[in-house]
Amino acid sequence: ALNQRLAEQAQQNQPPFIAAYSGIGGLVRGQEAYQGVAVIGDKGTEPALAALVLESERMRRFGVTQAELDRAKSNLGKAYEQAFNERDKTQSAAFAQAYIQHFLQQAPIPGAEFDLQYANQLLPGISLEDVNAYAARWIPDNGKTLTALIAPEKTDYPLPDATALTKQLSEAYTQPVTPYIEKAVAKQLLAQNPAPGRLLSSELIPSINLTTLTFANGTRVLLKPTDFKNDEVLLTGFRDGGTNSYPIIDSLNADFAASLDGITGLGAFTPNDLPKVLAGKSVSINAGLTASSDEFSGRASATDLESMLQLLYLQFTDVRQDPALFTAFSGKVKPLLAASGNNPNTAFADFYNRQLYADHPRSGVLPTQAQMDALSFDRAYAINREHFGNANGFTFVLVGAFDLDKAKALATRYIGGLPSDVSKTFNAVDTGMRPIKTSRRVDFSKGSEPKSTTLLKYTGEIEHYDLAEDFKLYLLEEVLKIKLTESLREQLSGVYTVGVGSEYARQPYPNYSITLTIPSAPENVDALVAAAKKEIETLRRQGPSPVDFAKVKQNYLTGLAIRQKENSYWLGKLAQFDENGMDPALIPDYNRKLLAAMTIGDLQQAAARYFDPQRVFEAVLKPETASP
């Protein structure tokens, strides 16, 4: 309840802080404490500290309202219910973590069934008086508070010393404090349900239990009910599009356009109102804009599928127009963006991208002042409507614990009924941004911590996207992880871990990239890069050893048996096959058959093709105090 109130403070037109949170938890093992934390904006410490103290004091003196308590009980009960529903599908990692907490902190492990019984027994009896007495006991009053300030050495606002900070704290406790006033919100997400759309076709692939619905508004829905989880439904949505079609000056407006639901809200609800109407539900939906695609992702419990689709419907039909909330948001985010270049890793990413892409106008990571000045609600809203006001061309995939007939009816109403202009199509735009086609090394100095990060990136264009080639690149990545771990960590003792990642992309143009990330001490950079290149050259000339090839194959098959019983695997594979026009009935055995036919020679040829020594880009982040 207190964190909800702090979130409301952060959404004021002139917010006292960028963000704030509170909680009672482990300060150190065996010791608990109440903590309130505020992220300070350009107004400095005084308003942030005052607001943090005000809300803490309001809770300590007057407690929660009955509506806040009811929502908290409902949310907590839902969490126990979901854990119970998934009790026979719990991941091993969850058990391991429970055992660790039992050993370190004597936390009991009664099991999900007992937990739910315990919650159902106790929750109804927790009264307003109980919770408010707890708040009064745990939240410290004046004279019992420790204040700590963590900040950069240089800021755009004056930083108080210990004496001034203590005075600010004391003055914060002199503020008048009044009880919290609960804002009434609607009980339903939609005032009325939309009319169902017109279903053009329904096709079933029995072998994988997949149903594809095609609607007159230009949308398609792929439905795969599963029993992998008892209380989970996942959603993804996609089509070509993205932000590349907008001028550079609109970069920030395009970046934030998809996030307007979290900035200004949906329908009749501000971002702080939505959790109230969704109390007792486990549901989320998020829109996204990449450079070349329009996307959605969502998750819900089995009983909340309709609520998730209602949120999706609101994303298309009723993003709240609230310039004041957007102004409050931009006022908080601009100082963070302006200061982001002080972070060595962010500054390095900006430098690295600009060098890799020959200083293309879209290559920078850090926003320019002109882009920040251009940030406006009207422009961000217009971009949002251009992409999420028209559903034509979207494909949605639903995987999880749902009844097929009920899901069909809900999809027909909330997706088939989405607004659409079928005369308008959406396409990815290729801006011509390409990595340099020669080998090059660049160094960048930032920060004082005695460590370096080295990136090696191999890039190139491909004729067309091919799933079989994508799989080869994945296997090469796995082989390289083994070899670099052996040589860089175990033999040279130069790193704790080496990152290897690959991408085989269809849009905005067919291309691939392989990136090695090597953290190390500054003096070890050259030796580790030489060792990594040696392993890559061996792969190019000889391919993987029979032992490593067998290990990678077995690891993949073992993992595949597990992944094919996960909703997230099927969600991703159905989307991947659909985007590339491939028969989804092939999914269960596609990579298994590729692997069975794969030879060491196939991977050697792929390595020779993708690890071009004439097109490797090296970038090294070093501390400013490092020796030349």
Side-chain angles (χ1 to χ4, degrees):
L2 181 50
N3 282 328
Q4 182 71 30
R5 295 181 185 183
L6 291 171
E8 291 175 5
Q9 286 269 12
Q11 289 214 329
Q12 294 178 18
N13 192 27
Q14 296 291 326
F17 39 61
I18 292 173
Y21 63 91
S22 66
I24 297 170
L27 185 63
V28 294
R29 189 174 300 157
Q31 298 291 328
E32 287 190 318
Y34 170 84
Q35 298 178 67
V37 179
V39 180
I40 298 165
D42 57 8
K43 294 180 178 61
T45 59
E46 190 166 8
L49 189 56
L52 197 60
V53 167
L54 177 63
E55 291 305 331
S56 298
E57 273 291 281
R58 197 192 311 276
M59 183 63 74
R60 186 182 70 84
R61 295 188 198 181
F62 302 108
V64 302
T65 65
Q66 187 63 52
E68 287 176 312
L69 178 59
D70 292 342
R71 286 195 298 272
K73 283 185 177 184
S74 183
N75 289 332
L76 190 57
K78 180 69 173 184
Y80 281 112
E81 178 186 316
Q82 281 193 289
F84 173 79
N85 290 340
E86 301 291 7
R87 64 194 183 281
D88 60 337
K89 307 288 177 67
T90 304
Q91 296 282 344
S92 298
F95 289 113
Q97 188 60 39
Y99 302 151
I100 291 170
Q101 293 306 310
H102 176 69
F103 177 79
L104 293 176
Q105 301 186 42
Q106 295 74 55
I109 318 174
E113 185 173 359
F114 180 87
D115 280 345
L116 182 62
Q117 293 175 358
Y118 191 67
N120 287 341
Q121 176 187 348
L122 287 186
L123 277 173
I126 296 176
S127 69
L128 202 62
E129 291 74 21
D130 293 333
V131 175
N132 291 344
Y134 184 83
R137 183 170 72 251
W138 271 96
I139 298 175
D141 57 6
N142 193 14
K144 300 177 182 178
T145 305
L146 168 68
T147 304
L149 174 62
I150 303 170
E153 293 180 355
K154 296 180 180 180
T155 64
D156 293 334
Y157 48 85
L159 290 176
D161 59 18
T163 300
L165 189 62
T166 303
K167 182 181 178 183
Q168 289 178 8
L169 177 67
S170 297
E171 290 177 347
Y173 276 104
T174 65
Q175 301 172 90
V177 182
T178 56
Y180 178 76
I181 298 176
E182 176 76 19
K183 174 187 174 183
V185 297
K187 302 295 184 182
Q188 302 294 330
L189 283 170
L190 299 178
Q192 60 183 26
N193 285 332
R198 181 161 61 92
L199 180 64
L200 298 181
S201 66
S202 177
E203 300 176 6
L204 172 66
I205 302 179
S207 63
I208 58 171
N209 193 24
L210 179 70
T211 299
T212 300
L213 309 177
T214 303
F215 295 102
N217 67 345
T219 63
R220 297 167 62 246
V221 180
L222 280 59
L223 300 170
K224 180 175 173 57
T226 71
D227 59 2
F228 306 144
K229 287 276 196 178
N230 299 324
D231 201 14
E232 178 184 77
V233 181
L234 302 181
L235 172 144
T236 188
F238 51 88
R239 73 178 173 201
D240 287 347
T243 62
N244 273 354
S245 59
Y246 298 105
I248 302 295
I249 195 68
D250 266 336
S251 291
L252 286 181
N253 286 313
D255 286 344
F256 293 125
S259 305
L260 283 185
D261 63 312
I263 299 172
T264 61
L266 293 173
F269 308 100
T270 69
N272 288 318
D273 292 337
L274 278 171
K276 297 177 182 179
V277 71
L278 294 172
K281 298 180 185 292
S282 177
V283 58
S284 65
I285 191 82
N286 295 292
L289 287 171
T290 71
S292 56
S293 65
D294 304 346
E295 301 176 348
F296 278 98
S297 62
R299 176 185 296 267
S301 67
T303 55
D304 297 324
L305 172 58
E306 183 169 12
S307 294
M308 179 174 69
L309 294 180
Q310 288 177 337
L311 286 172
L312 177 67
Y313 186 83
L314 285 172
Q315 289 271 13
F316 278 92
T317 60
D318 201 0
V319 172
R320 272 186 91 244
Q321 297 191 60
D322 194 329
L325 279 181
F326 191 86
T327 298
F329 164 79
S330 61
K332 292 184 297 182
V333 78
K334 283 180 181 180
L336 293 177
L337 292 172
S340 59
N342 296 329
N343 181 293
N345 291 322
T346 306
F348 177 51
D350 184 77
F351 170 80
Y352 164 85
N353 274 299
R354 290 184 183 279
Q355 295 294 316
L356 175 62
Y357 292 104
D359 210 24
H360 188 280
R362 293 181 183 271
S363 64
V365 172
L366 298 174
T368 65
Q369 186 61 51
Q371 289 166 344
M372 286 191 280
D373 292 341
L375 187 59
S376 76
F377 172 77
D378 288 343
R379 188 63 185 128
Y381 183 81
I383 294 172
N384 176 285
R385 291 299 80 204
E386 286 172 19
H387 288 270
F388 303 120
N390 181 0
N392 184 40
F394 259 107
T395 295
F396 295 95
V397 184
L398 278 167
V399 178
F402 55 79
D403 175 83
L404 180 60
D405 289 336
K406 290 182 180 177
K408 279 184 177 180
L410 292 173
T412 302
R413 178 178 298 278
Y414 294 112
I415 297 178
L418 288 172
S420 174
D421 178 0
V422 294
S423 68
K424 181 178 180 181
T425 58
F426 294 81
N427 300 289
V429 173
D430 183 0
T431 64
M433 188 171 78
R434 300 287 191 274
I436 59 175
K437 296 182 178 181
T438 59
S439 291
R440 186 181 178 192
R441 169 171 168 163
V442 294
D443 288 5
F444 182 73
S445 297
K446 186 78 172 179
S448 57
E449 194 170 352
K451 68 176 184 179
S452 285
T453 300
T454 302
L455 298 180
L456 299 182
K457 196 175 190 78
Y458 295 81
T459 61
E461 297 184 26
I462 54 180
E463 190 172 327
H464 59 84
Y465 183 88
D466 184 289
L467 274 176
E469 286 297 306
D470 193 350
F471 186 54
K472 288 180 186 177
L473 199 57
Y474 166 79
L475 294 176
L476 283 174
E477 177 185 329
E478 293 302 299
V479 170
L480 195 54
K481 286 177 183 177
I482 292 173
K483 302 312 296 179
L484 293 180
T485 298
E486 290 176 354
S487 60
L488 273 63
R489 184 174 78 178
E490 297 171 9
Q491 296 173 14
L492 296 177
S493 300
V495 298
Y496 179 74
T497 184
V498 180
V500 183
S502 63
E503 183 179 11
Y504 204 80
R506 180 177 62 90
Q507 297 288 10
Y509 67 97
N511 72 94
Y512 74 88
S513 65
I514 309 163
T515 306
L516 279 63
T517 306
I518 308 173
S520 69
E523 62 271 17
N524 293 337
V525 166
D526 292 339
L528 293 173
V529 168
K533 287 184 175 181
K534 182 179 179 181
E535 294 295 347
I536 290 171
E537 187 60 24
T538 300
L539 268 182
R540 293 185 71 253
R541 295 183 179 278
Q542 303 173 16
S545 70
V547 171
D548 289 336
F549 186 52
K551 185 186 298 184
V552 166
K553 289 175 68 174
Q554 186 56 53
N555 287 347
Y556 180 79
L557 291 172
T558 301
L560 182 64
I562 297 171
R563 291 192 297 274
Q564 286 191 329
K565 295 180 181 180
E566 296 175 346
N567 291 324
S568 58
Y569 172 84
W570 279 96
L571 191 78
K573 282 297 178 182
L574 287 169
Q576 182 186 43
F577 272 61
D578 190 82
E579 282 188 294
N580 291 285
M582 297 186 64
D583 182 359
L586 299 174
I587 290 174
D589 296 318
Y590 186 79
N591 281 359
R592 188 179 283 110
K593 289 181 177 179
L594 285 177
L595 193 61
M598 194 85 64
T599 66
I600 289 176
D602 291 332
L603 287 189
Q604 182 271 321
Q605 291 173 11
R609 185 162 58 250
Y610 296 124
F611 289 105
D612 184 350
Q614 303 304 313
R615 287 195 60 172
V616 54
F617 181 78
E618 303 175 40
V620 183
L621 169 64
K622 293 181 176 181
E624 293 170 285
T625 54
S627 301

